Amino acid sequence: MKIKYCLPIIKYSKEEVLTAVAAYRDEYQYLEIWLDPIKDIDIQFVDRLIYMLREKLILLFHRGDKIKTQLSGAQKKEILDLLDNSISLIDLDLSEKEELEYIRKLKVQTIISYHNYKKTPDDLDEIVKQLNEHKPTIYKISTMCDDEKDALKLLELQQILRRKGKKCIVLGMGKFGTITRVYGTLWSNEMIYAPVDKKEASALGQLTKNELETIFETLNK
């Protein structure tokens, strides 16, 4: 299988984003660009990213407590309008209710996400039902794993979604979640988030692209 690597890009200026894009766009299948950290962001810049990167582009606004949102509701709607009928992806969390409601009238390629930074809940089936309501292009569930059982629970969920023909990304955070990033990728997660350097990671437990390539090469021998 072809492994699809996604580079998380969390930068603080348009110039820094474009530098990262130029350096890595040929090495990665996806580039995930966080919009809220970009201090000088404007709608023309986002339009340029969509034009440049097309199906390689994943946009997201903010996620958890790591980045505080600076974009207004009106700005977010402008960005979502740009994505109408495009082949770029927007990653929206279930908590982003206003944005999820807004895209109902648009034709947008979506990753609809559930994140839990504290635990892996027992009601994963119910969370999948909530994701279903938004008809995602790709389902994404990412939770903190406190032990091995949490990791196995996520891998089992991934296989259930796969058997149903759903494109998905199911990942565990933290040291116990690392195994889900390896076997989840081998078992058909749509992509794997892989920073160039640990300092560039966007979530706990992410392995670098070099680390993942070494692991997959070893496992495939």
Side-chain angles (χ1 to χ4, degrees), residues 42-104:
D42 55 63
I43 197 71
Q44 291 79 18
F45 177 67
V46 179
D47 196 28
R48 181 181 177 186
L49 291 174
I50 295 169
Y51 177 78
M52 286 172 56
L53 295 175
R54 295 175 56 78
E55 72 277 3
K56 280 181 172 270
L57 177 63
I58 302 169
L59 295 175
L60 62 81
F61 296 125
H62 70 288
R63 191 53 46 79
D65 295 327
K66 183 163 183 162
I67 301 291
K68 296 299 183 183
T69 184
Q70 65 166 336
L71 291 167
S72 68
Q75 286 173 308
K76 290 179 182 180
K77 289 175 181 177
E78 278 190 289
I79 290 167
L80 293 172
D81 285 337
L82 286 179
L83 290 165
D84 192 19
N85 289 305
S86 85
I87 56 175
S88 298
L89 286 155
I90 179 77
D91 185 338
L92 292 173
D93 189 83
L94 281 175
S95 64
E96 296 178 271
K97 298 184 184 302
E98 187 174 345
E99 290 78 16
L100 288 171
E101 183 61 31
Y102 188 76
I103 63 169
R104 288 185 184 275

Side-chain angles (χ1 to χ4, degrees), residues 122-130 157 160:
D122 293 326
D123 60 342
L124 291 174
D125 290 344
E126 182 58 36
I127 291 162
V128 171
K129 289 179 184 178
Q130 293 177 43
L157 175 64
I160 291 170

Side-chain angles (χ1 to χ4, degrees), residues 181-221:
R181 297 177 181 272
V182 175
Y183 282 98
T185 302
L186 293 174
W187 294 347
S188 298
N189 266 344
E190 187 62 21
M191 66 187 75
I192 182 63
Y193 299 89
V196 176
D197 186 280
K198 292 280 192 184
K199 293 181 292 185
E200 303 284 326
S202 59
L204 291 172
Q206 283 181 354
L207 298 168
T208 67
K209 188 168 184 282
N210 283 341
E211 287 174 330
L212 287 165
E213 287 174 333
T214 300
I215 291 168
F216 296 141
E217 182 180 352
T218 301
L219 290 175
N220 286 326
K221 283 182 178 178

Side-chain angles (χ1 to χ4, degrees), residues 9-22 37-40 45:
I9 298 177
I10 305 175
K11 301 295 182 183
Y12 298 92
S13 71
K14 294 185 291 187
E15 182 179 358
E16 288 177 301
V17 170
L18 292 174
T19 297
V21 167
I38 306 169
K39 303 299 185 186
D40 54 348
F45 177 67

